[in-house]
Amino acid sequence: MRYGRTVPVTEAAELPPAPEEARAVFGEFFPEAVRYAELLADAGVKRGLIGPREVPRLWERHLLNCAVLSEVVPRNVTVCDVGSGAGLPGIPLALVRRDLKITLLEPLLRRTTFLQEVVELLGLDHVTVVRGRAEEVLGKLQPVHVVTARAVAPLDRLAGWGVPLLRPYGEMLALKGDTADEELVAAKAALTKLGVVKTSVLQVGEGVVDPLSTVVRVEVGESPGGVRFAAKRAKAARVGRVRRRR
């Protein structure tokens, strides 16, 4: 099935009104946040990007839960949202943080089509949509300061995809649930091999979401991804230089 450049939007009966917290969090871009919620409730459900049962809790569980991630993202940095799906957390983050340069990385065409339409409709000129898997774009995308992710994979596997995309001394911020501490323990060996030097579990969204959003922060040293990925990046850089000379 082919989709046009315009996403049809009709107000979903199940979509609740935006809570007051959303007005405070999104500020002047609150109308764009409402538009995005409507898109998710309508086209997002029709295209199978989110389940219909998620519509009544879109604001608290999804948009606000993701937007509060901005509390721990540094200013004026580059961000890659790995496995962006329907744009969570990348698009809520983009709505509240115009100082960021954000790449939404997603392998599935139907999702990247939706993401591109949303980016254009909301006027998010600081956001780029890239179709591909993290392991495929390594060396093709410029390394970023921050990698974000939500509900993509267990931490050890997620780190294997996201950490190599980081610049030296960058960080991965993964929105997780109650199992965050257990995942950190289970992933310790894998994280060490990937060049991770520090990990922590943060709670964000005080006064906005209940329960608070849980974020696993994974910080790397001078060799993101470890020795294996350093070699891959070096090879990709050499290939890039040869192509440019041609």
Side-chain angles (χ1 to χ4, degrees):
M1 182 179 294
R2 297 182 60 187
Y3 298 108
R5 301 303 300 166
T6 302
V7 181
V9 180
T10 56
E11 185 176 356
E14 302 87 350
L15 180 64
E20 285 304 311
E21 291 85 353
R23 293 182 179 273
V25 169
F26 292 103
E28 64 179 300
F29 299 104
F30 173 70
E32 285 81 359
V34 172
R35 179 74 162 162
Y36 178 48
E38 293 171 347
L39 291 167
L40 287 174
D42 183 19
V45 173
K46 291 176 181 176
R47 299 187 188 183
L49 303 181
I50 66 166
R53 293 183 180 179
E54 295 303 309
V55 173
R57 51 185 185 176
L58 269 177
W59 284 105
E60 289 81 2
R61 184 178 174 85
H62 298 287
L63 273 75
L64 289 173
N65 176 269
C66 291
V68 296
L69 183 62
S70 66
E71 295 177 16
V72 290
V73 177
R75 291 197 61 79
N76 301 310
V77 298
T78 53
V79 178
C80 182
D81 188 33
V82 172
S84 196
L88 301 165
I91 288 178
L93 184 61
L95 286 170
V96 298
R97 293 288 299 277
R98 297 286 169 142
D99 59 296
L100 304 175
K101 296 291 184 183
I102 300 177
T103 298
L104 305 180
L105 181 62
E106 168 57 46
L108 296 184
L109 178 59
R110 63 188 174 89
R111 293 176 180 170
T112 55
T113 299
F114 175 80
L115 291 173
Q116 189 60 50
E117 292 170 354
V118 170
V119 165
E120 293 177 6
L121 284 167
L122 301 185
L124 301 176
D125 55 9
H126 59 308
V127 177
T128 302
V129 178
V130 173
R131 184 185 175 197
R133 300 182 184 278
E135 57 269 33
E136 296 170 346
V137 302
L138 183 65
K140 299 177 183 177
L141 289 182
Q142 286 293 319
V144 297
H145 297 91
V146 177
V147 163
T148 59
R150 178 179 187 254
V152 174
L155 186 60
D156 55 349
R157 200 185 321 160
L158 173 61
W161 299 331
V163 167
L165 300 176
L166 290 169
R167 295 172 47 148
Y169 307 103
E171 59 185 336
M172 184 177 75
L173 299 170
L175 280 161
K176 288 289 184 177
D178 297 335
T179 62
D181 290 300
E182 289 84 352
E183 285 195 49
L184 261 181
V185 172
K188 183 177 180 180
L191 295 176
T192 300
K193 289 181 180 178
L194 289 167
V196 173
V197 297
K198 184 178 179 181
T199 62
S200 53
V201 177
L202 312 173
Q203 301 289 322
V204 296
E206 182 71 40
V208 178
V209 290
D210 185 16
L212 299 178
S213 297
T214 300
V215 181
V216 173
R217 171 183 273 161
V218 172
E219 301 173 62
V220 299
E222 62 182 12
S223 184
V227 175
R228 174 187 171 195
F229 289 98
K232 283 189 175 184
R233 276 192 296 271
K235 180 180 179 181
R238 288 195 299 272
V239 171
R241 286 195 295 269
V242 170
R243 288 176 177 171
R244 285 193 293 273
R245 284 198 294 268
R246 291 175 181 174

